Amino acid sequence: MIRIENLSFSFPESEKFALKNISLDIAKGEFVALLGPNGSGKTTLALCLCVIIPHFFHGNFQGKIFINNKDTADCQIHELAKETGVLLQDYESQLFLPTIEEEIRFQLENFGFPADEKIAELEQDAHFSHLLKKKVFSLSEGEKQKALMVAILSVDSDILILDEPTSQLDKKEREQLLETLKELNKQGKTIILITHDTCFAKHCSRFITLNSGKIVRDEESLETIDSLGVEPIDYKWGTKNNRERRIQNTKISIKDLSYEDVLNKVNLDIKNNEFVLICGANGSGKTTLVKHIIKLLKIQKGEIEIDGKALKKYSQRDIASRIGFVFQNPNHQIFRNSIEEELEFTLKLLGKENKEKEINEMLSFFDLEKYRNKSPQALSTGEKYRVAMASSLVSNPDIIILDEPLTHLDFKAKQHFIKYLAELKEKGKTIIVISHHPDYYQSLVDRIFIIKNKEVIEQ
Amino acid sequence: MKNIFEYEDKDGIFHKADPLVKIIFLLIFWTVCFYANLWQLAIIVIFISVMAICFGLRKRFFQQARFFLIFVFPFILVFHLFFYQSFSAQNPSLFFFNPSLSIEGFKMGLQISFRLFCLLSSSILFIATTSPLRQAKRLSGIKILGHKIPKSIVFLSIFINRSIALIFNDLEQILDAQKARGFSLREAKIKDKVAGYTGLLIPLLTISLERAQKQAIALELKGFKSK
């Protein structure tokens, strides 16, 4: 079904090949997991398969790709789109029209399918109908990803190429997606799944591991391959934190916070030096809650205090010097022309001296030194997330808020970052993490809060 | 701001109107605006205001009018009021400025402001009432002398319709990213605001160009030929 012959590719102005001499055969009905560390070439390979490379991203392209015996060099993206459903890692860029309904309708009509029937079917789906008419801008990241998956699956393509399809999904949605993919695979669909989530990938029938642009392993079982930067199956991320909590002063106090139709009379006290995890389904209001703490959203009802002082009495600069916030989608956070400028921007705004020393430390810690003068937009999503974290944490804030920090990172980077969070906690920082993966933080977390039905409940 | 430039699904006369008729009407309207004098433009401003209010776009219309009055109108008026002589000369030298108050300058400033206001308002009314999906379908179906409109033109037209909202969305994200790091451009002093927004032009342009490419990819992946 898919044949790749000696495929090599390098991006313009890069001497390094992103893909090196890849040869691969994928038969009809295979369920393939494409694994490997950040920057190993997984996404580049996916872009080659759906011919975005070389038609949109030019570079040094060598070799051949055949899909259903058609040489893709002779095909445009839209010509392959019907038989190849693609979810890009940057899923947000795939949304163009104002509502999800229009997205689905547009796609189906282009392929000559009856759109009304499918829309009527989706309107009956209790888990999805509420998203249909919603404006794309108002959806949470998880809802956007879920909606796109539904749009892609509605076309009934023979081949599915899914790049990190679970990166923003909650546990229930991940399980549901897995069931759907298993069912589609049984029906004979070929699925290529790119992921760092081995718990999800273990259900595949073939595991291809890439490293530095080369295939280093191609097997039918997923063994312990942590040496290749892939998370071992059912890896234990430390034991539960049973340390007795010292009674501390309240760092952040939220009283009766309400926001539109998302939050209703939320009460929450976060103590000094506490590690708090906030969980909840996609679209439950986790990001909305923390956006209030950093004054990105105006309080409509209720109060927030930091160190006993009302939030409204703090200037934005005071808040930024105390709180480091890392956005869920790194594309929402980075906008400067180089990585160095990105870090410098934070320090400059806060009037901090010795910029060079702090920037060097952060670049070295997040393994970004080699990209120092590169545009952040040219990096992979995992690398972009590291830039976003470095640019927020470079100012050494007291409170750290991280929105889904680990989903884009490979195993090594995850371990490294968990260790870093432990160090920050030791230093007395207050840490708030929003995540759908509580397991990662087991050894660090003091309290877990769940947002359900617009309210916050302590687990 | 992004909401001003986004299509709103409603059941009005403008919303139901054929997108092609609206595009033709818009082009004629723009041509009239370019040739109209001050008094004709004043009448057009009143006409377009009444239209917006009558067709349920009151909130959006006043939002953009406020934006125009604060950020665009004073700049154009002051520029023409004081430097009219420099620009009205037959062969103005590039760096020649002759600041002097004149009634002609005031009139010219008003005329250009009204013209820009009409162009902006009519574009917003068009975007607010025209679904990009309907627009794409309508334009794809047209045949001129047996030939269909090239897909690249259809792509360009729906891209223009949709991209302004997306660019404003990008801008909001950058402003939020700055705010989270301690600089609120929305709350800054006028001087810092001007410097801040000017500084944002290059990153915004870079992101917007990348977005244009990503949007073309997104449409191709949905089976739409964009090139």
Side-chain angles (χ1 to χ4, degrees):
Chain A
M1 187 150 223
I2 299 173
R3 198 164 91 240
I4 303 171
E5 289 177 0
N6 302 319
L7 175 67
S8 295
F9 180 76
S10 68
F11 286 98
E13 294 167 27
S14 169
E15 288 166 11
K16 206 178 138 199
F17 272 87
L19 295 173
K20 287 179 210 161
N21 212 21
I22 302 253
S23 290
L24 193 63
D25 274 305
I26 296 173
K28 187 177 182 332
E30 277 199 275
F31 194 173
V32 180
L34 215 52
L35 308 164
N38 290 134
S40 58
K42 305 183 296 296
T43 297
T44 310
L45 182 57
L47 296 177
C48 289
L49 286 173
C50 55
V51 298
I52 292 174
I53 292 176
H55 288 303
F56 271 91
F57 298 133
H58 305 291
N60 182 5
F61 184 93
Q62 295 162 14
K64 293 254 174 216
I65 299 175
F66 297 92
I67 292 182
N68 289 332
N69 296 322
K70 267 189 284 183
D71 186 348
T72 59
D74 306 325
C75 299
Q76 293 292 323
I77 300 173
H78 66 271
E79 290 168 337
L80 276 177
K82 194 173 177 179
E83 51 199 306
T84 318
V86 181
L87 177 80
L88 298 176
Q89 191 175 22
D90 180 11
Y91 53 88
E92 200 179 29
S93 70
Q94 277 183 269
L95 294 165
F96 179 72
L97 293 163
T99 64
I100 296 301
E101 182 185 332
E102 283 174 286
E103 285 285 345
I104 296 172
R105 206 175 268 282
F106 180 70
Q107 180 161 329
L108 290 172
E109 284 174 359
N110 280 330
F111 293 130
F113 293 122
D116 289 338
E117 238 172 71
K118 185 71 196 173
I119 295 293
E121 193 185 306
L122 290 171
E123 275 170 354
Q124 302 304 316
D125 183 346
H127 297 293
F128 191 74
S129 56
H130 66 289
L131 298 180
L132 270 176
K133 301 270 180 204
K134 267 194 176 179
K135 290 261 170 86
V136 165
F137 292 142
S138 70
L139 298 180
S140 75
E141 296 297 313
E143 286 173 332
K144 283 179 195 168
Q145 202 172 33
K146 179 185 170 179
L148 254 172
M149 269 312 300
V150 172
I152 289 161
L153 297 180
S154 65
V155 176
D156 198 29
S157 308
D158 287 335
I159 302 168
L160 292 170
I161 301 168
L162 311 173
D163 196 349
E164 295 281 4
T166 58
S167 63
Q168 308 296 341
L169 300 184
D170 61 48
K171 198 179 170 197
K172 198 176 142 202
E173 294 296 343
R174 288 201 299 271
E175 285 169 359
Q176 208 171 329
L177 176 64
L178 182 64
E179 287 311 312
T180 310
L181 293 181
K182 278 181 181 172
E183 186 54 39
L184 289 170
N185 187 237
K186 267 187 202 163
Q187 291 167 16
K189 308 281 181 204
T190 309
I191 303 169
I192 299 172
L193 178 73
I194 297 168
T195 186
H196 290 298
D197 184 351
T198 41
C199 284
F200 194 80
K202 68 183 176 188
H203 301 277
C204 295
S205 57
R206 184 176 170 190
F207 304 90
I208 298 171
T209 310
L210 287 176
N211 200 5
S212 305
K214 286 183 195 165
I215 294 178
V216 288
R217 197 172 285 208
D218 184 355
E219 291 178 338
E220 287 182 359
S221 65
L222 183 57
E223 301 296 331
T224 309
I225 44 178
D226 56 326
S227 61
L228 295 169
V230 179
E231 184 181 328
I233 309 167
D234 301 325
Y235 181 76
K236 292 272 173 265
W237 287 92
T239 49
K240 202 176 171 188
N241 175 18
N242 287 323
R243 275 175 295 175
E244 200 179 310
R245 277 194 297 130
R246 286 166 290 172
I247 303 294
Q248 295 275 15
N249 296 332
T250 299
K251 192 78 180 169
I252 302 170
S253 163
I254 300 173
K255 286 174 199 153
D256 294 329
L257 182 73
S258 298
Y259 182 77
E260 291 179 2
D261 199 23
V262 185
L263 301 172
N264 184 31
K265 292 193 173 175
V266 166
N267 286 291
L268 186 64
D269 263 5
I270 297 169
K271 309 285 179 200
N272 199 13
N273 191 21
E274 204 172 20
F275 192 113
V276 165
L277 191 62
I278 299 176
C279 301
N282 289 131
S284 59
K286 303 181 293 296
T287 303
T288 305
L289 175 67
V290 294
K291 275 189 171 177
H292 278 97
I293 302 174
I294 49 160
K295 288 179 88 169
L296 283 187
L297 286 176
K298 208 174 171 184
I299 298 174
Q300 291 176 346
K301 261 185 193 174
E303 271 175 51
I304 298 179
E305 286 179 359
I306 294 178
D307 287 326
K309 188 173 154 186
L311 188 69
K312 59 186 171 198
K313 289 185 182 164
Y314 286 98
S315 70
Q316 197 64 43
R317 196 177 142 163
D318 290 339
I319 289 293
S321 65
R322 281 165 171 264
I323 305 175
F325 178 66
V326 184
F327 287 69
Q328 187 173 10
N329 186 339
N331 292 320
H332 296 175
Q333 180 153 357
I334 45 185
F335 59 94
R336 307 297 295 183
N337 293 324
S338 76
I339 291 163
E340 187 177 1
E341 269 184 49
E342 199 69 52
L343 271 69
E344 211 174 47
F345 181 78
T346 309
L347 294 172
K348 199 176 151 190
L349 284 178
L350 301 176
K352 296 215 174 181
E353 299 295 323
N354 293 328
K355 287 182 212 158
E356 199 63 28
K357 188 179 156 247
E358 282 159 351
I359 290 172
N360 287 340
E361 272 176 18
M362 272 290 144
L363 290 180
S364 159
F365 181 80
F366 284 102
D367 196 18
L368 293 165
E369 278 162 318
K370 54 189 175 227
Y371 306 127
R372 191 182 190 110
N373 297 313
K374 214 172 168 182
S375 163
Q377 305 301 336
L379 302 179
S380 74
T381 306
E383 289 161 344
K384 275 185 193 173
Y385 205 90
R386 295 203 316 252
V387 175
M389 286 204 266
S391 64
S392 288
L393 303 182
V394 69
S395 60
N396 193 22
D398 270 353
I399 303 166
I400 296 158
I401 304 177
L402 307 164
D403 199 347
E404 283 294 351
L406 298 181
T407 46
H408 296 292
L409 302 184
D410 61 36
F411 181 54
K412 198 178 140 198
K414 273 180 193 151
Q415 283 181 313
H416 194 47
F417 192 67
I418 295 276
K419 215 170 138 192
Y420 179 58
L421 287 180
E423 276 173 33
L424 290 175
K425 199 183 170 204
E426 273 308 303
K427 283 182 188 167
K429 309 281 181 194
T430 306
I431 303 168
I432 303 168
V433 172
I434 294 176
S435 181
H436 295 302
H437 300 268
D439 297 353
Y440 294 148
Y441 312 95
Q442 272 207 355
S443 59
L444 298 169
V445 74
D446 293 312
R447 283 191 296 165
I448 299 176
F449 292 98
I450 296 166
I451 303 189
K452 204 174 177 184
N453 301 329
K454 303 175 203 171
E455 286 172 8
V456 174
I457 314 153
E458 189 177 342
Q459 195 183 46
Chain B
M1 277 297 283
K2 68 189 174 202
N3 295 330
I4 296 181
F5 296 99
E6 198 174 30
Y7 169 66
E8 200 176 338
D9 195 10
K10 275 188 175 178
D11 204 20
I13 300 170
F14 264 25
H15 288 77
K16 281 182 186 165
D18 184 340
L20 182 65
V21 173
K22 281 194 271 186
I23 290 173
I24 294 169
F25 183 77
L26 193 67
L27 293 175
I28 295 170
F29 183 80
W30 285 351
T31 313
V32 170
C33 286
F34 275 109
Y35 287 100
N37 63 28
L38 178 62
W39 304 113
Q40 289 162 341
L41 280 166
I43 293 166
I44 295 173
V45 168
I46 296 167
F47 167 71
I48 205 162
S49 310
V50 172
M51 292 249 286
I53 293 163
C54 289
F55 292 114
L57 297 160
R58 187 188 183 132
K59 194 179 164 195
R60 193 180 291 230
F61 181 78
F62 282 115
Q63 256 181 311
Q64 65 97 11
R66 197 179 61 185
F67 171 80
F68 190 86
L69 279 173
I70 296 171
F71 294 104
V72 185
F73 181 66
F75 177 74
I76 296 173
L77 198 66
V78 167
F79 212 68
H80 283 85
L81 195 60
F82 290 103
F83 298 105
Y84 179 68
Q85 294 295 328
S86 310
F87 292 98
S88 62
Q90 279 287 314
N91 296 300
S93 45
L94 195 56
F95 299 106
F96 169 71
F97 283 108
N98 181 17
S100 60
L101 269 167
S102 73
I103 190 73
E104 287 82 8
F106 178 72
K107 279 184 183 171
M108 183 57 81
L110 268 185
Q111 187 171 336
I112 290 177
S113 301
F114 282 169
R115 184 169 292 144
L116 269 176
F117 183 78
C118 291
L119 297 177
L120 184 71
S121 307
S122 55
S123 308
I124 285 173
L125 289 187
F126 174 77
I127 290 170
T129 58
T130 313
S131 149
L133 182 62
R134 271 191 75 201
Q135 187 182 334
K137 272 200 250 178
R138 183 69 180 96
L139 294 181
S140 301
I142 299 169
K143 274 188 179 175
I144 302 169
L145 300 172
H147 295 282
K148 283 193 165 185
I149 293 183
K151 286 283 182 185
S152 52
I153 305 280
V154 180
F155 169 69
L156 191 68
S157 83
I158 55 169
F159 182 74
I160 291 167
N161 182 325
R162 185 72 186 131
S163 62
I164 304 171
L166 293 169
I167 290 169
F168 270 92
N169 190 45
D170 287 338
L171 177 65
E172 279 191 12
Q173 281 168 3
I174 294 177
L175 294 178
D176 276 354
Q178 285 191 338
K179 203 172 170 185
R181 287 194 249 169
F183 179 59
S184 177
L185 205 49
R186 293 184 187 106
E187 293 152 23
K189 290 173 190 164
I190 290 282
K191 193 183 138 206
D192 294 336
K193 221 173 211 168
V194 172
Y197 276 111
T198 312
L200 278 182
L201 284 178
I202 292 172
L204 190 62
L205 189 69
T206 315
I207 290 172
S208 301
L209 288 174
E210 275 174 10
R211 179 177 275 287
Q213 191 185 38
K214 285 175 181 174
Q215 298 303 315
I217 294 171
L219 291 189
E220 290 257 350
L221 287 174
K222 292 184 180 86
F224 184 86
K225 189 182 169 193
S226 67
K227 288 203 274 193

